[in-house]
Amino acid sequence: MEKKSYLLPHSWQKIGWWLLGASAVGVSILIVFEIIGRLKNWGEVVIPELPSLIMVTLVTCVPFLGLLLICLSQEKQEDEFIQCLRSRSLFIVVVYAFVIQMISISLDQFLMAYIPTEALGQLKSIIHYCTNIPLMAVFYLAIFKGMMFVNYLRSKKDGE
C-alpha cells in the first residue's frame, strides 16, 4: 500500500528556488533604483508611482511564494530518512517559536512595571520579527538542508 504524501512534486521546488532567486535580483534592482532616485531628488518629497508600488508588492510577495514552494516540495529521492530529517527540522523550528513566545509572555508580565510602554512595544515588535512565518520557513530550510548536507558529507566520508 502506497503512503499518501501531502508534499508537492520535486519540480515545484525548482520553481520555488527560481522565484526566490528572481526576487533577490528584483530586490537588488529596486534598491539601486531607490538609491539613484533619492540622490537625484535630494530634498524633494517623492510620491511613488503605481508601477513601482506594484513592483514592490510583487518583489515582497514572490519570495514568500518561493519559500512556500521549497518547503512544501518533495526532495528528489524522498524516503523515510528524509521524512525523519523533515520532521526533526519542523520540530526544532516549532520548539524555537514556542520558547521565544514563552520568553515574550514572561518578559511582558515581569517588565511591564519597570519598562516604559514605548520600549515594551519595541521589545514586542522585535520578538514578533523573530517568530514571523517567513523567518520560520527560512529557519526550517536552513536546518533541513543543513542536516541533509551533513549526512551527505558523512556518507561520502564513510564511503571512502
Side-chain angles (χ1 to χ4, degrees):
M1 184 169 155
E2 190 174 319
K3 199 172 191 181
K4 189 170 186 173
S5 174
Y6 295 103
L7 297 171
L8 297 170
H10 179 69
S11 59
W12 287 88
Q13 189 179 81
K14 293 176 184 176
I15 294 169
W17 282 113
W18 277 102
L19 288 174
L20 202 58
S23 65
V25 169
V27 166
S28 302
I29 290 170
L30 282 178
I31 289 172
V32 167
F33 283 143
E34 182 68 25
I35 291 171
I36 291 171
R38 286 183 188 241
L39 290 175
K40 190 187 301 183
N41 300 324
W42 190 263
E44 297 178 23
V45 175
V46 179
I47 300 172
E49 300 171 7
L50 184 60
S52 66
L53 287 175
I54 293 171
M55 275 299 290
V56 168
T57 304
L58 283 175
V59 169
T60 55
C61 292
V62 170
F64 301 143
L65 178 63
L67 278 173
L68 185 69
L69 290 176
I70 295 167
C71 288
L72 296 178
S73 297
Q74 292 178 348
E75 291 300 313
K76 207 172 214 175
Q77 295 178 348
E78 190 81 22
D79 57 4
E80 292 85 15
F81 182 70
I82 299 293
Q83 291 173 354
C84 179
L85 290 180
R86 193 180 294 275
S87 64
R88 284 182 190 173
S89 304
L90 188 59
F91 178 75
I92 291 170
V93 169
V94 168
V95 167
Y96 165 81
F98 179 75
V99 167
I100 294 293
Q101 288 297 325
M102 294 308 296
I103 290 171
S104 166
I105 291 169
S106 300
L107 281 176
D108 191 25
Q109 297 298 319
F110 178 72
L111 298 175
M112 195 173 283
Y114 302 109
I115 293 182
T117 309
E118 300 85 29
L120 194 61
Q122 290 173 351
L123 180 65
K124 284 184 179 182
S125 66
I126 290 170
I127 290 172
H128 170 72
Y129 289 130
C130 290
T131 58
N132 66 18
I133 299 297
L135 186 63
M136 295 292 106
V138 169
F139 282 167
Y140 167 77
L141 277 178
I143 292 168
F144 177 59
K145 297 291 185 180
M147 285 180 169
M148 285 182 52
F149 183 70
V150 166
N151 285 307
Y152 171 75
L153 291 177
R154 284 183 185 162
S155 68
K156 284 289 191 186
K157 183 180 175 186
D158 293 340
E160 291 180 1

